[in-house]
Amino acid sequence: MPEVVPSFSNSVKLKYVKLGYQYLVNHILTFLLVPIMVGVTIEVLRISPEELLSIWNSLHFDFLQILCSSFLIIFVATVYFMSKPRSIYLVDYSCYKAPVTCRVPFSTFMEHSRLILKDNPKSVEFQMRILERSGLGEETCLPPPIHYIPPTPTMEAARGEAEEVIFTAIDDLMKKTGLKPKDIDILIVNCSLFSPTPSLSAMVVNKYKLRSNIKSFNLSGMGCSAGLISIDLARDLLQVHPNSYALVVSTEIITPNYYKGSERAMLLPNCLFRMGGAAILLSNKRRDRYRAKYRLMHVVRTHKGADDKAFKCVFEQEDPQGKVGINLSKDLMVIAGEALKSNITTIGPLVLPASEQLLFLLTLIGRKIFNPKWKAYIPDFKQAFEHFCIHAGGRAVIDELQKNLQLSAEHVEASRMTLRRFGNTSSSSLWYEMSYIEAKGRMKRGDRVWQIAFGSGFKCNSAVWKCNRTIKTPTDGPWQDCIDKYPVHIPEIVKL
């Protein structure tokens, strides 16, 4: 019997075929231009020096032509450089690390829940089930007023937490960068749920005696994606204010927002949200390009607030007993998926290589013309980014993004470990994740980082950074005393 012809798919590893296709498409201009340049060079070398000299002598230029040509070149170059957007650099950042006395082990959390909700054992049991599957660890922290029984969420206590988190992060950032208060030109503070009068930004101005002409902004009510909204606002301000520094502070104050009722949808934040904050220094000064860690490439914002379901899926309200809390809708993950889809559609053409864009376009055309049942092609974002910082909003959020974007366990490691160690720190969680990657010594020059965050409203925001220099493993930061223990295995359920 003749030998069976081996299957092509078995004899050739298709992943190498795809790699070859990607390399060919992404470097198509190089492959086309190099032969042309080689041909032109060969033809020029064939011409004798005498012929070149005669060609040069045959060209006639008068002074007016040279002057007009020079003026035109200078004019075009001036217009180009003046219209070109300023480069925005991330000089450095700092993350707040709560003291050990603020730790909330599972046993402590559940004991307090039993005492606070002693008349509602079903709510206690519900919180226990959520905590078992949350992905949080034993070292997450809550502010001191929440440790009391019952909790004491006073305005004074909330201000105390804000001062502790914000000032500690800013002090650490100033120490790292050598920044002085008088150097700050723009100040942006974002905190979603705690909005006192005077504002948190005014609190910073008062503490550090900032200049009277500082441009300060206080963002509230914008959810966990407010950190990237602050970055976008800082970018726009730095485009119109040359030679400036922008200080961005992202945090969430937990003290006044601990829910003491029995509504299940409003008990979820108690189990997930923890203390945290970050201070980020941005600059548009050219001299900072050499010392800055990252350069901001893109910010893409998607807002689904026009849809009623999206608008109300994360909603602050009173329960039937008049107790205020955050209601997390059952439709949250579906709405988040739709927002992510819109955001990816916008950011894809900005970051994806030509090979992925071409495959996506061909699939889209095929579905429209030939067969609508063709499986939609999901672009391989691993071709565009080396690192992913997915908002550590909860285990389900990270699982869904890993599945939809086809990411490996290492790509989402920073997000899972941040959720494990610090919990959901709201808008600052992205910076704990960035710090994790640096602490692991993985951030190299030229690496691209994609930060993705979700927030109430409903919003999905993205920021793309490019690493300016290989970052040495830091000797400080929030992971200083524990980075060697990570990554750790996170079981599906932790029995309490």
Side-chain angles (χ1 to χ4, degrees):
M1 294 292 292
E3 293 183 4
V4 178
V5 178
S7 170
F8 174 79
S9 60
N10 291 333
S11 59
V12 178
K13 291 187 176 180
L14 292 180
K15 69 175 183 178
Y16 295 117
V17 175
K18 186 177 180 181
L19 287 174
Y21 156 77
Q22 290 168 346
Y23 190 82
L24 175 64
V25 174
N26 294 338
H27 298 85
I28 189 68
L29 287 177
T30 303
F31 292 138
L32 291 175
L33 291 176
V34 166
I36 295 173
M37 294 299 296
V38 170
V40 171
T41 304
I42 292 173
E43 289 300 319
V44 170
L45 292 175
R46 286 180 178 177
I47 302 174
S48 64
E50 291 79 10
E51 290 176 319
L52 285 174
L53 185 60
S54 63
I55 293 171
W56 175 259
N57 292 331
S58 65
L59 299 175
H60 297 285
F61 299 103
D62 57 28
F63 178 74
L64 183 60
Q65 287 177 323
I66 296 173
L67 187 64
C68 291
S69 300
S70 301
F71 174 78
L72 181 61
I73 293 171
I74 294 171
F75 176 76
V76 171
T78 302
V79 170
Y80 171 75
F81 284 109
M82 288 184 67
S83 61
K84 186 180 179 182
R86 290 188 175 92
S87 295
I88 308 301
Y89 301 103
L90 193 162
V91 180
D92 212 331
Y93 63 94
S94 177
C95 298
Y96 171 77
K97 184 178 180 181
V100 182
T101 51
C102 293
R103 281 183 56 216
V104 187
F106 293 155
S107 57
T108 302
F109 184 89
M110 291 313 305
E111 182 183 358
H112 284 210
S113 294
R114 292 186 187 98
L115 292 171
I116 295 168
L117 300 171
K118 58 185 176 181
D119 298 328
N120 200 330
K122 288 186 177 180
S123 294
V124 176
E125 184 182 348
F126 172 75
Q127 283 191 307
M128 184 172 70
R129 291 202 307 271
I130 294 298
L131 201 62
E132 287 176 339
R133 296 163 174 80
S134 65
L136 273 67
E138 300 270 4
E139 297 179 291
T140 61
C141 296
L142 286 171
I146 306 300
H147 288 256
Y148 296 130
I149 301 174
T152 56
T154 63
M155 175 62 78
E156 183 182 2
R159 282 187 182 276
E161 182 193 347
E163 291 173 356
E164 163 70 14
V165 173
I166 293 173
F167 296 164
T168 302
I170 294 177
D171 288 343
D172 189 35
L173 180 65
M174 288 184 170
K175 183 179 178 181
K176 281 183 177 181
T177 60
L179 182 72
K180 297 178 181 177
K182 66 178 182 180
D183 297 329
I184 301 172
D185 305 285
I186 299 165
L187 171 66
I188 303 171
V189 179
N190 69 264
C191 178
S192 186
L193 295 172
F194 180 56
S195 184
T197 300
S199 65
L200 295 176
S201 60
M203 185 188 299
V204 175
V205 172
N206 177 259
K207 165 69 176 179
Y208 294 96
K209 310 304 177 189
L210 303 183
R211 302 197 320 254
S212 59
N213 64 342
I214 190 168
K215 296 162 185 65
S216 66
F217 301 84
N218 197 94
L219 307 183
S220 64
M222 305 195 80
C224 300
S225 67
L228 295 186
I229 295 174
S230 298
I231 295 294
D232 188 38
L233 175 59
R235 179 190 64 170
D236 291 344
L237 291 168
L238 288 171
Q239 290 299 328
V240 296
H241 297 288
N243 204 38
S244 299
Y245 280 123
L247 174 62
V248 175
V249 180
S250 293
T251 188
E252 191 59 76
I253 304 306
I254 307 297
T255 295
N257 301 300
Y258 186 86
Y259 177 65
K260 294 182 286 183
S262 57
E263 291 294 316
R264 291 190 174 188
M266 299 169 75
L267 283 169
L268 278 168
N270 288 357
C271 302
L272 299 176
F273 282 88
R274 296 293 185 265
M275 283 182 81
I280 304 100
L281 179 62
L282 300 176
S283 170
N284 59 10
K285 301 182 179 183
R286 290 192 176 184
R287 66 172 180 267
D288 284 325
R289 64 184 298 182
Y290 299 106
R291 72 161 178 153
K293 284 186 172 182
Y294 304 94
R295 182 160 67 95
L296 181 61
M297 306 302 293
H298 307 286
V299 178
V300 174
R301 293 169 56 181
T302 303
H303 205 307
K304 291 288 186 179
D307 178 73
D308 290 342
K309 279 189 175 181
F311 175 70
K312 291 188 175 181
C313 71
V314 181
F315 206 77
E316 185 176 17
Q317 63 184 51
E318 292 176 330
D319 67 7
Q321 287 74 43
K323 296 175 180 177
V324 178
I326 305 297
N327 189 320
L328 301 182
S329 167
K330 293 179 179 179
D331 300 325
L332 178 59
M333 291 310 302
V334 176
I335 293 166
E338 289 298 317
L340 176 66
K341 182 179 176 181
S342 300
N343 193 269
I344 284 176
T345 304
T346 306
I347 201 172
L350 300 175
V351 299
L352 285 170
S355 58
E356 290 300 309
Q357 295 195 47
L358 183 60
L359 282 174
F360 179 77
L361 178 62
L362 292 175
T363 306
L364 183 64
I365 294 172
R367 294 182 71 195
K368 293 289 185 182
I369 298 176
F370 300 108
N371 187 354
K373 294 183 179 179
W374 278 8
K375 186 178 179 181
Y377 179 73
I378 300 174
D380 185 4
F381 280 91
K382 298 187 290 296
Q383 297 292 323
F385 304 106
E386 283 74 32
H387 307 288
F388 296 80
C389 294
I390 300 166
H391 167 53
R395 189 174 200 155
V397 175
I398 302 171
D399 288 345
E400 280 299 309
L401 263 72
Q402 181 180 4
K403 177 184 175 182
N404 291 334
L405 297 178
Q406 299 176 355
L407 303 179
S408 68
E410 186 175 342
H411 286 127
V412 296
E413 182 183 311
S415 302
R416 291 195 190 281
M417 297 308 116
T418 295
L419 182 64
R420 171 84 173 183
R421 173 61 183 84
F422 296 100
N424 181 354
T425 59
S426 191
S427 57
S428 63
S429 67
L430 299 173
W431 302 105
Y432 288 91
E433 294 165 22
M434 191 93 91
S435 181
Y436 178 88
I437 298 169
E438 291 181 6
K440 281 293 183 181
R442 298 173 183 171
M443 197 68 76
K444 310 297 181 186
R445 181 180 180 182
D447 283 1
R448 296 153 298 179
V449 186
W450 186 12
Q451 292 182 323
I452 317 168
F454 300 92
S456 58
F458 188 84
K459 299 177 284 291
C460 175
N461 300 324
S462 293
V464 178
W465 304 89
K466 188 171 184 179
C467 187
N468 264 359
R469 53 185 171 84
T470 298
I471 298 175
K472 297 179 180 177
T473 304
T475 56
D476 55 3
W479 299 93
Q480 174 189 359
D481 60 345
C482 62
I483 190 62
D484 294 335
K485 297 190 298 185
Y486 292 93
V488 298
H489 171 67
I490 303 176
E492 290 293 325
I493 299 176
V494 179
K495 279 296 179 182
L496 300 181

